[in-house]
Amino acid sequence: MAQKESSFLNMVVTLTIVALVAATVLGFVHDLTKADIELAKKVAQEKAIKSVLPPFDSLGESWKTLPADGADSLEFFPAFDAEQKLVGVAVKTYTKNGFSGLITLMAGISADGNISGYEVLEHKETPGLGSKMDVWFKDESKPSQNIIGKNPVTSNLEVTKDGGEVDAITASTITSRAFLEAIKRAYNTYKEAADQQEATAKADSNKKGGQS
Amino acid sequence: MEYIVIIIAAIFVNNIVLNQFLGICPFLGVSKKISTAVGMTGAVTFVMVIATIVTYLIQLYILNAYGLQFLQTIFFILVIASLVQLVEIILKKVSPALYQALGVFLPLITTNCAILGVAILTIQKEFNLMEGVVYAIANAIGFGLALVLFAGLREHLDLVNVPKGLKGTPIALIVAGILAMAFMGFSGLV
Amino acid sequence: MNQWTNFTKGFIKENPVFVLLLGMCPTLGVTSSAINGLGMGLATTFVLVMSNLVISLIKSQIPSKVRIPSFIVIIAAFVTVVELTMQAYLPSLFKSLGLFIPLIVVNCLVLGRAEAFASKNNLLSSLVDGVGMGLGFSFALTLLGAAREFFGAGKIFDIVVYPEDYGMLLFVLAPGAFIVLGYLIALINRMNKA
């Protein structure tokens, strides 16, 4: 077949056809994968929630709250057991003070107020140094660096250099500081929200004449 | 203050070439002489800023508005390709002197991933238009800094006695590695 | 051309990374581990093969002046297909390759092969060229990733070879990418001469 001539009409027609076909194909692929992309995101999130909380039966409706000291809101995922009793709350929290900026975590707070686990979702910390935070703070064999099972009210969750009781990651104090800040932010914001809820619940029940 | 953080982060801490690995092709390709490195930097700055503004507006008013985010790649690369052509034509007409200086570099820019990379990163980082522009300028400066430094090193490299097996590209890459190491000293700055 | 030489040229003799120095950005950017290198290599191979295929099929229908823009659109379409598919079925790989997936579009390797080979050769040759070049690219990326992972973290494909604490962190970081690639190119140059 002979090469098509580069006349204006030919060029316009060719480019239009190429663009149209490409857009149609992509629209089709997009429709095909859309549901699966959503699903993959949801599965990843649920996996993170499961790994930071004690075993639970079902997830309640999530909500978002603005922390007292940040511009972006935290997301809360309450988890319940078979009797609809609260097992714990997973909190998607963050800090912008990492060595390379933003760190996003999923932190678990059990019903009794202890840290039940955490999972690092996103970070840009130095590989081999700051990036060790994904296991460092949950090493059960090293109590001086482990934060799992500790309660931020009774334990001072700060690095030892700042007078706290958590050993910072070797050569990564800034990352460690930022990490603990994110955890505490999750806990404090949750506590505040829970206290408020309790207060409104109390006010409600008072209005209703103490019925429960 | 926020702008200063963006600028320092883009130029030094997350240098687009030495840390993010964008724009490596021109970094290795046109870094044999300082003068060409400077010319390339000028052309990249020019296109990067305009491309970032145009792609930002497209993302906001076309892709987001109609839920067509999945066409981002195709839209952006087309915009950049036609923009480069357009800049070339306009420059030729309006400022022949500038065209003389930058002209030869313009066609190379379409496949410079730094341009597309910065355009996409501006969207991903959820910058507003002004921050996007500052980010683009800072990245262009970062690109220029790395390119000119590297060109200076390579000019000296020509005069040094390099082991035979490492002559040419290998030694250039190793020098780039050492330069990247030097830039690591900036990490943690912001 | 003999299809076998056409196929094998991409591995050592005309290796896109080590010899032709094409597609350097993803080469350096994603190879902090062998698996990332392999994933990126295969994604690029897919785009390369598919765009070579389509372009060699329709080459006579495209006026030469709009050749490049048409190629870019075709390549961008396949890149988006990879992007969406990977996001749906391999989300963790998608996350670690990040920005470099959409950037396959501007990988000089893909456009270079389209322009230099697929637009001049028949369907079969273009297909073989795409597969060969793509696998050569994957081979280079995997090799580089494995070397960096081995020296930096004491692992290859996540299999522990020696304890991580003895690894030289530098190799996983940005400078390591440049340095390891420099030595690999020197090595391949030596092999090609011999």
Side-chain angles (χ1 to χ4, degrees):
Chain A
M1 224 182 304
Q3 190 78 22
K4 254 197 191 164
E5 201 190 328
S6 293
S7 68
F8 184 72
L9 185 72
N10 270 347
M11 293 199 283
V12 173
V13 169
T14 315
L15 271 187
T16 318
I17 293 177
V18 169
L20 275 182
V21 171
T24 321
V25 171
L26 286 186
F28 184 66
V29 175
H30 174 69
D31 274 352
L32 217 63
T33 51
K34 201 170 150 196
D36 288 313
I37 291 176
E38 291 299 315
L39 191 72
K41 276 187 192 153
K42 218 177 132 201
V43 167
Q45 187 160 62
E46 268 174 19
K47 209 175 131 205
I49 294 174
K50 267 198 188 116
S51 74
V52 300
L53 283 176
F56 61 88
D57 202 57
S58 63
L59 278 174
E61 206 163 303
S62 66
W63 77 87
K64 286 185 177 181
T65 312
L66 207 62
D69 54 349
D72 293 319
S73 49
L74 307 185
E75 203 169 355
F76 295 83
F77 306 90
F80 301 96
D81 64 8
E83 282 109 44
Q84 288 302 306
K85 234 181 81 196
L86 189 73
V87 175
V89 178
V91 191
K92 198 168 162 189
T93 177
Y94 68 94
T95 172
K96 286 185 174 163
N97 296 330
F99 195 65
S100 312
L102 186 71
I103 302 174
T104 323
L105 304 170
M106 183 72 81
I109 302 166
S110 62
D112 49 13
N114 292 337
I115 307 284
S116 56
Y118 72 87
E119 199 72 36
V120 180
L121 301 177
E122 260 174 85
H123 75 91
K124 295 192 203 70
E125 302 306 286
T126 322
L129 293 172
S131 73
K132 281 188 192 156
M133 68 186 156
D134 59 352
V135 289
W136 182 273
F137 298 104
K138 50 182 166 192
D139 192 338
E140 308 261 340
S141 63
K142 294 182 181 135
S144 60
Q145 64 190 53
N146 181 26
I147 63 162
I148 309 298
K150 286 190 179 163
N151 187 319
V153 174
T154 53
S155 312
N156 185 2
L157 290 188
E158 270 184 51
V159 293
T160 35
K161 223 181 229 174
D162 301 341
E165 52 185 79
V166 184
D167 278 352
I169 305 168
T170 320
S172 304
T173 311
I174 296 177
T175 305
S176 310
R177 235 177 239 156
F179 173 87
L180 292 173
E181 181 199 296
I183 295 280
K184 278 186 292 187
R185 174 178 285 165
Y187 182 81
N188 293 341
T189 315
Y190 168 64
K191 264 287 159 253
E192 226 165 80
D195 287 349
Q196 240 167 40
Q197 253 173 11
E198 216 165 90
T200 42
K202 220 176 227 167
D204 277 355
S205 61
N206 282 346
K207 249 184 241 160
K208 283 180 200 153
Q211 293 167 350
S212 60
Chain B
M1 184 58 210
E2 245 166 64
Y3 293 139
I4 295 173
V5 172
I6 292 177
I7 291 171
I8 303 234
I11 297 180
F12 297 110
V13 183
N14 294 318
N15 185 281
I16 186 157
V17 180
L18 297 169
N19 193 289
Q20 313 240 46
F21 300 113
L22 298 176
I24 300 282
C25 294
F27 179 68
L28 294 174
V30 296
S31 58
K32 292 216 170 98
K33 273 162 78 191
I34 292 189
S35 54
T36 46
V38 172
M40 186 68 184
T41 308
V44 165
T45 312
F46 206 66
V47 176
M48 194 181 275
V49 173
I50 302 178
T52 306
I53 297 174
V54 176
T55 51
Y56 183 87
L57 295 176
I58 286 189
Q59 177 80 24
L60 197 63
Y61 292 110
I62 300 181
L63 299 183
N64 285 355
Y66 297 101
L68 293 172
Q69 284 91 343
F70 66 97
L71 289 177
Q72 191 191 50
T73 313
I74 217 166
F75 256 89
F76 280 21
I77 189 66
L78 271 182
V79 165
I80 291 168
S82 24
L83 207 65
V84 171
Q85 291 268 304
L86 208 68
V87 167
E88 206 176 339
I89 295 168
I90 294 175
L91 221 54
K92 215 180 208 168
K93 266 250 150 66
V94 179
S95 165
L98 199 60
Y99 178 77
Q100 280 268 300
L102 305 183
V104 281
F105 302 108
L106 283 172
L108 290 174
I109 287 183
T110 314
T111 50
N112 181 344
C113 47
I115 309 278
L116 182 62
V118 168
I120 297 178
L121 279 172
T122 306
I123 308 295
Q124 271 181 6
K125 291 183 182 244
E126 293 174 3
F127 284 146
N128 60 34
L129 186 58
M130 198 55 216
E131 284 168 343
V133 171
V134 171
Y135 184 67
I137 295 174
N139 270 313
I141 297 173
F143 175 79
L145 181 67
L147 198 62
V148 171
L149 278 177
F150 189 52
L153 288 170
R154 275 185 98 169
E155 280 187 358
H156 282 276
L157 216 55
D158 284 343
L159 309 171
V160 211
N161 197 3
V162 178
K164 213 167 124 207
L166 292 178
K167 271 211 173 98
T169 320
I171 191 72
L173 279 167
I174 292 164
V175 169
I178 295 169
L179 196 57
M181 224 184 291
F183 268 75
M184 273 180 67
F186 291 117
S187 58
L189 208 60
V190 284
Chain C
M1 199 199 295
N2 181 339
Q3 294 299 359
W4 177 246
T5 26
N6 186 13
F7 176 70
T8 51
K9 68 175 190 276
F11 281 85
I12 299 283
K13 234 174 149 229
E14 279 182 43
N15 187 290
V17 174
F18 297 138
V19 180
L20 304 179
L21 302 178
L22 293 173
M24 295 310 254
C25 301
T27 302
L28 295 165
V30 303
T31 50
S32 55
S33 72
I35 192 76
N36 284 356
L38 185 62
M40 186 69 207
L42 292 181
T44 312
T45 306
F46 172 78
V47 175
L48 190 57
V49 171
M50 293 311 280
S51 56
N52 259 8
L53 191 83
V54 171
I55 287 165
S56 80
L57 272 179
I58 62 166
K59 60 176 185 281
S60 58
Q61 299 301 314
I62 296 180
S64 63
K65 273 192 186 157
V66 289
R67 202 176 62 239
I68 302 284
S70 316
F71 291 174
I72 290 181
V73 174
I74 294 167
I75 294 168
F78 284 117
V79 169
T80 313
V81 169
V82 170
E83 206 179 338
L84 292 171
T85 322
M86 204 180 254
Q87 215 173 343
Y89 305 111
L90 294 165
S92 59
L93 185 63
F94 179 78
K95 221 170 116 188
S96 55
L97 297 181
L99 182 63
F100 286 99
I101 292 287
L103 288 183
I104 296 176
V105 161
V106 282
N107 189 326
C108 341
L109 172 63
V110 182
L111 191 62
R113 288 330 279 179
E115 165 75 3
F117 199 94
S119 67
K120 299 193 184 85
N121 286 284
N122 64 24
L123 182 65
L124 183 67
S125 301
S126 305
L127 197 67
V128 173
D129 176 76
V131 175
M133 277 292 165
L135 291 181
F137 185 70
S138 313
F139 163 71
L141 259 63
T142 315
L143 189 66
L144 185 57
R148 288 178 66 191
E149 203 182 348
F150 176 74
F151 289 119
K155 292 183 280 196
I156 292 181
F157 280 112
D158 267 334
I159 299 162
V160 179
V161 181
Y162 61 88
E164 193 177 345
D165 289 345
Y166 296 108
M168 286 170 276
L169 194 54
L170 180 76
F171 284 99
V172 184
L173 302 178
F178 288 106
I179 293 171
V180 174
L181 184 63
Y183 279 109
L184 281 178
I185 289 179
L187 202 71
I188 300 279
N189 278 348
R190 178 92 184 76
M191 279 167 71
N192 273 346
K193 257 184 218 134

